[in-house]
Amino acid sequence: TSNSSAPNESRIVAAIQPAYLLSGSSVPSAYLGANVAARRFDVGGNVSTDTGSGIALGYRFLPFSFLAVRTEARYRYWFTDNISEFGVALAFGVVLGTTP
């Protein structure tokens, strides 16, 4: 979600992305996953919505036993606006537990 400096302008994007491991459940591992998303724009009271789908390719690893790092490249196509979107992400997470 984001708010700009313009009055009454906001944007919300929600995405669901299941990850499929290419190299099993071990870490480090690469993954490939489909994603679907919905977004809502509100600019000065004029609301528009759109849905999109795409694919993401990423890699996750554990530089420390408590820290998970994920890098990702993503493509998504928005159907109503006919927009192709490309993006990259770098995410950090805390490892809460491990399985034997």
Side-chain angles (χ1 to χ4, degrees):
T1 183
S2 66
N3 289 311
S4 72
S5 59
N8 302 320
E9 183 177 336
S10 65
R11 175 182 67 176
I12 297 173
V13 177
I16 298 172
Q17 181 172 296
Y20 300 95
L21 298 179
L22 298 177
S23 61
S25 61
S26 63
V27 176
S29 61
Y31 64 88
L32 176 67
N35 66 65
V36 294
R39 70 179 181 191
R40 179 181 186 270
F41 289 105
D42 184 351
V43 180
N46 294 324
V47 177
S48 66
T49 58
D50 199 352
T51 57
S53 67
I55 193 163
L57 175 64
Y59 184 75
R60 67 185 174 107
F61 58 97
L62 297 174
F64 303 103
S65 61
F66 60 88
L67 177 66
V69 178
R70 178 176 57 91
T71 61
E72 178 181 287
R74 173 181 61 244
Y75 167 78
R76 188 177 294 143
Y77 180 78
W78 295 101
F79 296 109
T80 302
D81 292 336
N82 297 317
I83 296 173
S84 291
E85 174 186 77
F86 297 91
V88 294
L90 175 64
F92 300 94
V94 175
V95 177
L96 299 177
T98 59
T99 56

